[in-house]
Amino acid sequence: MSNSLQSALSQISEEFAQKVFEVIRTAFIAELGKVTLSAGPAPAPRARAAAPKALAPAAKSEAVKKPAAKGERLARRSSESIAEALDGIAGLLRKKPGIGSEEIQKTLGLARNEIARPIALGISTGVLRKSGEKRATKYFAGSGAKSAAKSAAKKAVSAKKAPKKAPKKAPKKGADEAATATEST
């Protein structure tokens, strides 16, 4: 670009920026003039953004199937989808026992945060077993790895829904115990 064109463009852009700055400054000063320092009523709270509309049933299933990007939180998964992932992991481990989490992820095309829950469920129910710690952890198919993944998921869901037992309370001192306590003293 020629020098004269560059200088003309820079002059126009500087004038534009100054005019924009002046308009903003004027508007700010006008708003500042409206502010009072008295203890009047509090300003009205700002309206929150509208909540997204509920997903259609088809959209929900697509959201579950779509893998989350790195660092994103997963959409809530059903116990069936977790059981399917566990079945896939157990099937892979029957074919290739002793592989790590990274290889499971690559082979099944799942993200790290998508396999953590099925693996934990599989280990807790005996469908899977592991050896080693941290990055040296290797996974193996457990004793009931054939089709126990779905039953394991159902057991985990039903265990969450089961009512908790109330803790046992210590028995209160009855009149007989209180009477014997006073007689012995």
Side-chain angles (χ1 to χ4, degrees):
M1 237 183 335
S2 68
N3 244 354
S4 62
L5 180 60
Q6 253 183 340
S7 63
L9 288 175
S10 81
Q11 182 183 4
I12 292 170
S13 64
E14 284 179 28
E15 289 173 5
F16 175 74
Q18 287 176 353
K19 287 181 181 180
V20 168
F21 179 73
E22 185 61 34
V23 169
I24 292 172
R25 187 170 154 255
T26 305
F28 178 72
I29 291 173
E31 287 294 318
L32 194 57
K34 294 178 184 177
V35 175
T36 61
L37 299 177
S38 66
R46 293 184 181 178
R48 292 186 178 173
K53 293 183 179 178
L55 298 173
K60 283 185 181 178
S61 62
E62 289 174 13
V64 172
K65 291 179 184 177
K66 181 182 174 189
K70 187 174 183 178
E72 274 189 30
R73 191 173 177 99
L74 285 176
R76 186 169 184 91
R77 297 184 290 173
S78 65
S79 58
E80 291 83 19
S81 68
I82 294 171
E84 287 174 11
L86 180 55
D87 279 340
I89 293 169
L92 175 65
L93 291 174
R94 282 193 296 274
K95 294 176 187 171
K96 294 175 77 175
I99 61 175
S101 172
E102 291 177 354
E103 191 170 341
I104 293 171
Q105 293 170 37
K106 288 177 186 175
T107 307
L108 297 179
L110 299 172
R112 186 177 86 215
N113 56 352
E114 290 177 307
I115 68 165
R117 177 118 184 252
I119 286 178
L121 180 64
I123 291 171
S124 69
T125 56
V127 175
L128 305 177
R129 61 183 176 84
K130 71 175 188 173
S131 68
E133 293 180 17
K134 298 184 181 182
R135 290 182 61 91
T137 304
K138 302 298 177 194
Y139 297 96
F140 303 88
S143 59
K146 288 270 183 182
S147 64
K150 287 187 179 177
S151 63
K154 289 179 183 176
K155 285 179 188 175
V157 169
S158 64
K160 285 184 181 178
K161 292 181 181 177
K164 294 182 180 179
K165 293 182 181 177
K168 292 183 179 179
K169 294 182 179 179
K172 293 183 179 180
K173 285 188 174 182
D176 296 336
E177 291 178 10
T180 52
T182 55
E183 289 175 6
S184 63
T185 55

